[in-house]
Structures are given as structure tokens and as C-alpha cells.
Amino acid sequence: MKTITKVNVLPKLASKTKVAAYARVSSGKDAMLHSLSAQVNHYKKLIQENAEWQFIGVYADEALTGTKDSRTEFQQLLKDSRAGKIDLIITKSISRFARNTVTLLETVRELKTMNVDVYFEEENIHSISGEGEMILTFLATFAQEESRSVSENMKWRIQKDFRQGIMWGGKPSLGYDLENKQLILVPEEAKIVQLIYQLYVDGNGDEQICKVLTSMNITPKTGSKWHWSTIRHILTNSNYTGDLLLQKTYRENHLTKRKITNNGEFDKYLIKENHEPIISRELFNIAQKIREKRFSQLKTSTVKRKYAFSGLLKCGVCGRGYSHKNTPFNEIWKCSYSLKRGIDACDSKQVPNSKVIEAVNHILERTQFDKQLMKDKVSKIIVMPNKKLVFHMKDQTTKEYIWKERSKRDSWTLEKREQARIKEINRLKGGANNG
């Protein structure tokens, strides 16, 4: 006779809610918590003190914009949510999470499909609740409009002051301090500016001037090393003549706040003899003519060839682009920063052009290189240490390829092989004669 025994289901243990927090500080305007570190400590304590919650972490960005693409920690938060690591996200307010209504709704909707709730402290709203999205839509639209209104009012105030010759924002350049929106000359720094201009009109380029200043143990106003872009800024800054040019840049909009050079989109305001000059207008004009002449000569003397991988290869060590170079033996790609500054600045390795082609063919499963197909499929290729190439595909996937370096003998042409053979025969003959 068959006997049937009932095996009771084991009771499920109550699991803790996996909780993370998101914090963002923009331009030091956070009223509740005065710094990013304070926010991190606040949320860490809040989550860890709740016995029903499991602390996952605090994702914190320090940014000028509310757009999600520019926030690395925000992107990591979304990635971890997709991976099932998070059940609940706590954030201070709608404006801290996203200023853009579309971005906010897209994000909370995506999180909702994964059963991830977002709690907005100031508004006391859970995104996963029935009425949550409706309220969020209304409040986000209001916050976005309020941001736009504040931005427009600020623009009006700034432009009003510009018309009266009053400075707004900015950091003082080498040679000046900024006090009560006025440029005050710093004699010791002014001497360095005068030296830079003199070196330039004497025939030294930006890079050479950096080397001269470093050899004289002269340090820049900010940072530890001189950079060619710093020298260029000094040599093109008309403020050193005592004149002040206002509204040289502007913000793209109230959402991105991206700074853009003013090329005529808005009025500029020139105030003559606004502050004590460091160099004469004549010397400044001479420097500009020299720069224009050198730039013109550079443009006419070099015809820049577009190679297959131009703009595609990026350095996995310093993040800069790779440049094409022809050597006596082969065609290679090397980090542009390493080429310019040496291996002390970036110790990344070069990669032969043939190996990049080999890698592309392997990744795209082709027997012959197809440049157009590569452009259609690949967004960038990161050159990593240990001969690894990481392909970032346009479908958001990544693929890796490790290339092997051939020996120098394997890479020789037939002509070079024949030269080596004759050289070896002559060496052996010479040895025999000496014997």
C-alpha cells in the first residue's frame, strides 16, 4: 500500500527592504544640509537606524546641472536598481532628483516597473503609490517652471549690472584678486604675467613658456603645474590691459547650465580703464598678431589626414584620445597626452594599427575591414593595459579583445628580411677571416 507523507513548506523569512539614498549638491545652495558629506552622513544614519531596512549605500553627486546623463553616481544608482540590489530610494526633493519633468517621470516609471520605490522627503511622496505619479507630474512641472523663472530673473539682474560695468562671478586671473567685484592688482603675480608676455614675443611657444617657468620654480595661481592652456588664457586675456570685457560667456539654459562662449549671441560690454593694467595695449596687440600668424601658418602647413580610427580610440589610463603615428617600422596609435608629455604623465601603451583592424574584424565577425560598418556599430574603443581593447557598441553593450604582439622578426618585410640575411652572412665571413 502506498503511503503519502505531507512535507510542510518552510516558512519564508521576512527579508529586509534594501534601501539606498541619493544626494546632490549644486553650487552650495542646499538649505537643509550644508554639504554633500553632511547629506551622506544624514542618510547613512537614517537608514541604518531602521531595523527593517538593509543599508545599500548613499549615491552622491556634486554637479552644476540636474540632467541625469552628467551624474555618474545617479547612473550607478539606476544600474544597481536594474540589477535588483535596491528596493527603496530616499532623496531630499524632486529638484534634487531631477529638474527636468520628462527625466523625472521617465526615471520613476522605469524604477516602478522594477518595483523600486522613490521617496521624496520634502514632498512626502512615494513614487510607487497610486497617486504618486500624478502628484509628481504636477510638482515637477512647477519646480521646473520655478527654476526657469529664477534663472530668467538672475539673467536680467546680471545683464543690468553688465550695462553698468559691474562684474558677476568668475575667478580672478593670475595677477589680480577679486574684491567687491573689482580686480585688484597683485604685484608679485603681475611680474609673472609680464614675464610670460615677454617670453612669448621673444619667440617662445606656450609649451616652452611652461618649461621656462617651471625651471625658474615659478608656480601657477592654481594647481601645481603649468599647462599650455593656462598660458594661452593669459596671452589672450584683454583684462591685463586695464580694460574689462563683460559677458564673454553665457549659460545654455536653466536645465543644463552649460557654459558657452559668447560669439555674438548676446551683447558684450567693454569698460575702458576699469582697473590697473599689467601690460600695455600695444604689447597685448603684438601678442595677438603673433598668435594669429602662428595659427595661420599651422593651418596652411599641415593638412590633417583623417584615419579610420581617428576620434574612436580612447586611453584607458588618462581618458584622452589616441593619436595616429607612423614609425620607421609600422603604423601605430598612441595616447596623445603620453606623446605630448611623456610616460611620466601617462604610461599607457601604444597599439599597432594592424591590431586594431584585427580586433574590429573579430568583434564584428568579418574577414575584411569595413570602415562604415565599424562606424555604424562601434561608438568608441578603450585601449586598456595588458593589450586589451574594450569596444563600446552603439547598442549599449561592451566587448573585449586581447591582442598578441608579434615579434619584430615576424613583422619584417621581405626586403628587411633579405637585408638581415646578407648582414648575417657578412658577419659570419668576418668571423671566419678573423679566425
Side-chain angles (χ1 to χ4, degrees), residues 310-358:
S310 295
L312 201 64
L313 290 169
K314 304 294 180 183
C315 180
V317 177
C318 72
R320 292 170 171 83
Y322 259 56
S323 297
H324 180 272
K325 188 177 180 182
N326 283 313
T327 73
F329 304 103
N330 60 354
E331 190 179 355
I332 65 163
W333 291 86
K334 190 167 176 61
C335 172
S336 58
Y337 195 57
S338 181
L339 276 172
K340 195 170 190 177
R341 296 283 185 173
I343 59 172
D344 290 337
C346 178
D347 62 354
S348 58
K349 304 301 181 184
Q350 66 187 36
V351 54
N353 187 74
S354 60
K355 292 299 176 182
V356 185
I357 293 174
E358 176 186 298

Side-chain angles (χ1 to χ4, degrees), residues 151-164 166-169 246-247 269:
S151 177
E152 291 299 319
N153 288 337
M154 183 60 71
K155 281 182 182 178
W156 180 83
R157 286 179 58 194
I158 292 172
Q159 288 177 349
K160 181 173 175 286
D161 282 352
F162 279 167
R163 294 187 194 102
Q164 297 174 4
I166 300 173
M167 288 184 66
W168 264 88
L246 299 174
Q247 197 151 288
Y269 302 90

Side-chain angles (χ1 to χ4, degrees), residues 65-313:
T65 73
T67 54
K68 67 176 182 178
D69 291 336
S70 62
R71 296 180 281 164
T72 54
E73 286 286 287
F74 188 86
Q75 292 301 319
Q76 187 61 47
L77 174 69
L78 297 181
K79 185 177 179 181
D80 289 346
S81 297
R82 295 181 189 114
K85 298 178 181 179
I86 299 169
D87 299 321
L88 171 64
I89 299 168
I90 301 175
T91 190
K92 181 188 171 186
S93 66
I94 290 171
S95 62
R96 295 293 91 187
F97 203 64
R99 286 200 186 100
N100 187 308
T101 307
V102 174
T103 299
L104 174 73
L105 294 178
E106 285 179 349
T107 305
V108 295
R109 282 171 184 169
E110 181 190 356
L111 292 169
K112 193 173 182 179
T113 62
M114 299 180 285
N115 292 319
V116 178
D117 186 18
V118 183
Y119 176 65
F120 301 90
E121 287 185 302
E122 283 191 0
E123 294 83 5
N124 191 24
I125 298 172
H126 284 272
S127 64
I128 211 165
S129 65
E131 71 282 359
E133 183 172 318
M134 181 184 70
I135 299 172
L136 281 173
T137 303
F138 172 76
L139 292 176
T141 304
F142 177 78
Q144 184 174 327
E145 180 58 28
E146 184 181 38
S147 174
R148 187 198 64 79
S149 178
V150 169
S151 177
E152 291 299 319
N153 288 337
M154 183 60 71
K155 281 182 182 178
W156 180 83
R157 286 179 58 194
I158 292 172
Q159 288 177 349
K160 181 173 175 286
D161 282 352
F162 279 167
R163 294 187 194 102
Q164 297 174 4
I166 300 173
M167 288 184 66
W168 264 88
K171 296 179 181 179
S173 302
L174 179 71
Y176 292 107
D177 276 338
L178 192 59
E179 296 179 11
N180 299 320
K181 297 185 179 182
Q182 288 293 320
L183 292 173
I184 308 299
L185 188 139
V186 181
E188 297 78 13
E189 294 181 6
K191 291 177 183 177
I192 301 172
V193 174
Q194 291 166 349
L195 173 62
I196 289 171
Y197 270 83
Q198 192 58 54
L199 287 169
Y200 191 69
V201 297
D202 285 346
N204 296 280
D206 299 343
E207 290 283 357
Q208 185 60 31
I209 292 173
C210 290
K211 293 177 181 178
V212 172
L213 295 174
T214 302
S215 69
M216 296 174 68
N217 294 320
I218 298 174
T219 56
K221 192 179 185 78
T222 57
S224 57
K225 291 183 179 180
W226 288 99
H227 193 269
W228 65 268
S229 60
T230 306
I231 302 300
R232 182 185 64 181
H233 173 74
I234 291 170
L235 291 169
T236 56
N237 191 348
S238 59
N239 289 354
Y240 289 122
T241 64
D243 297 340
L244 182 63
L245 184 62
L246 299 174
Q247 197 151 288
K248 291 187 282 189
T249 61
Y250 65 94
R251 298 288 182 185
E252 184 178 39
N253 56 53
H254 69 288
L255 295 175
T256 66
K257 293 191 176 181
R258 186 165 64 93
K259 186 183 286 187
I260 298 175
T261 301
N262 183 6
N263 292 316
E265 292 85 356
F266 295 93
D267 293 334
K268 294 180 184 178
Y269 302 90
L270 178 64
I271 300 94
K272 292 279 189 178
E273 300 178 358
N274 177 78
H275 50 273
E276 189 175 350
I278 292 178
I279 61 166
S280 66
R281 290 191 184 93
E282 290 75 19
L283 181 57
F284 179 78
N285 290 334
I286 290 170
Q288 305 322 300
K289 288 178 181 177
I290 292 172
R291 182 165 290 276
E292 289 172 10
K293 184 178 179 181
R294 288 181 181 176
F295 184 71
S296 177
Q297 289 173 341
L298 185 66
K299 282 181 69 177
T300 55
S301 62
T302 59
V303 179
K304 196 169 183 180
R305 183 179 169 188
K306 191 76 173 176
Y307 297 96
F309 306 113
S310 295
L312 201 64
L313 290 169

